[in-house]
Amino acid sequence: MTCTDVHGPGPLGPLAVRGAPRRGSVSVMKKLINSVDSVVTDALRGMAAAHPHELDVDLDQHIVYRRRRKEKGKVAIISGGGSGHEPLHGGFVGTGMLDAACAGEIFTSPVPDQVVAATAAVDRGAGVLHIVKNYTGDVMNFEMAAEIVDADSGIQVASVVTNDDVAVEDSLYTAGRRGVGVTVMVEKIAGAAAEEGRPLDEVAGIAERVNAAGRSMGMALTSCTVPANGKPSFDLPADEMEIGIGIHGEPGRHREKVAGAAEVAERLVTPVLAELTELETPAAGPDEGVIAMVNGMGATPLLELYLMYGEIARLLEAAGITVARNLVGNYITSLDMAGCSLTLVRADAELLRLWDAPVSTPGLRWGV
């Protein structure tokens, strides 16, 4: 594989050119790809090669399946969305999380046919839960797929829509809040409930509880660059940062001068806590603290993510919030965006037990 310069659209559209740019051309980005048109297929082929004992990948329909299927009589779980957010969703396919993930093109919802095929393939007789991020295309296509499945096969389908982003009520991509970081928590905790053999209504109920108990917010130091056009998703001067960004490269709530990590942490913690502390969430018992995730947007090194976690943990402690569990790393990204997001989920003893249950996926693994 060679490093590919991707130039902006010319008379014939976007071009992927190997090697150095020609004199007079403007090189906007360099990507380790073969072709703009084959990015998703090639990435899925690489995922299959990297995890041959864990995953089966349908390269024609762009669906990632767990290789070892669940026992009959257990609820199956699928999710999906546009590519470019890796490891979400394909990286969370495996024991304790998803049974399948449908990969759309870059930042584009999977089509109903993909969701229908995945639902039919993973059903083990107890129904299938769809976990859907709140973006217009995702919601519409998963709803359409559920209707088709019901009409064609009678498989029972339940759907949970994640909508945890506190930055905006409506955006270019949504009606209502965007679904972002809490999606990882929903997939993990609902996945553990399904592994226990709980019925579909209970697994869906637990997924709803996690979503209702979680809030997120992100920030960016740079925009991201989509291979199809080779241009930054928005213009962000070198001395400014964007607060409240979405995961599709869309700009955020407001822009301000770049600040130190302590100030950035405060920009994220304050609005998330303001909503989290007011939530009335159905729980099996008293709060045991929060599950906290500091997530990289794709181009932020772990050095900086751990530094950010330290600042966030300090602010949470000062606010009297106990961090019961945490994740630090890249879990739901936006291609090559530099920045991070914070997700907090209020957890009771049951949710913590399900969080601690064994999981074995390319992107998340413990207890096995």
Side-chain angles (χ1 to χ4, degrees), residues 35-86:
S35 161
V36 168
D37 295 333
S38 67
V39 167
V40 176
T41 301
D42 290 348
L44 290 174
R45 183 179 293 112
M47 177 175 275
H51 305 283
H53 305 298
E54 299 173 279
L55 304 176
D56 284 324
V57 180
D58 183 336
L59 292 177
D60 293 326
Q61 296 199 75
H62 288 182
I63 304 173
V64 180
Y65 294 102
R66 58 189 285 181
R67 177 165 282 255
R68 185 175 181 180
R69 300 181 70 188
K70 273 198 181 97
E71 301 170 11
K72 289 185 177 180
K74 288 188 175 182
V75 169
I77 303 178
I78 72 171
S79 190
S83 297
H85 305 305
E86 290 73 23

Side-chain angles (χ1 to χ4, degrees), residues 55 64-66 89-95 97-101 360-362:
L55 304 176
V64 180
Y65 294 102
R66 58 189 285 181
H89 291 276
F92 298 134
V93 172
T95 302
M97 287 190 80
L98 300 177
D99 295 86
S360 181
T361 71

Side-chain angles (χ1 to χ4, degrees), residues 77-80 87-93 96-98 131-133 162 182-193 207 210 355:
I77 303 178
I78 72 171
S79 190
L88 198 82
H89 291 276
F92 298 134
V93 172
M97 287 190 80
L98 300 177
I131 297 175
V132 188
K133 301 185 302 302
T162 60
V182 82
T183 311
V184 178
M185 278 72 164
V186 171
E187 291 178 357
K188 169 63 187 80
I189 292 173
V210 176
W355 178 261

Side-chain angles (χ1 to χ4, degrees), residues 85 107 135 165 168 171-174 178 180 220 223-224 233-234 242 244-253 334 337:
H85 305 305
F107 293 171
Y135 295 97
D165 190 352
V168 292
S171 74
L172 296 175
Y173 294 84
T174 66
R178 300 176 291 208
V180 286
S223 61
C224 65
S233 56
F234 57 89
E242 195 85 20
I245 47 88
I247 61 171
H248 297 95
E250 62 267 45
R253 175 187 283 186
S334 185
M337 181 181 283

Side-chain angles (χ1 to χ4, degrees), residues 10 28 39 42 60 141 169 171 174 233 264 272 277 313 352:
V28 178
V39 167
D42 290 348
D60 293 326
N141 288 342
E169 281 292 341
S171 74
T174 66
S233 56
V264 173
V272 170
T277 54
L352 290 181

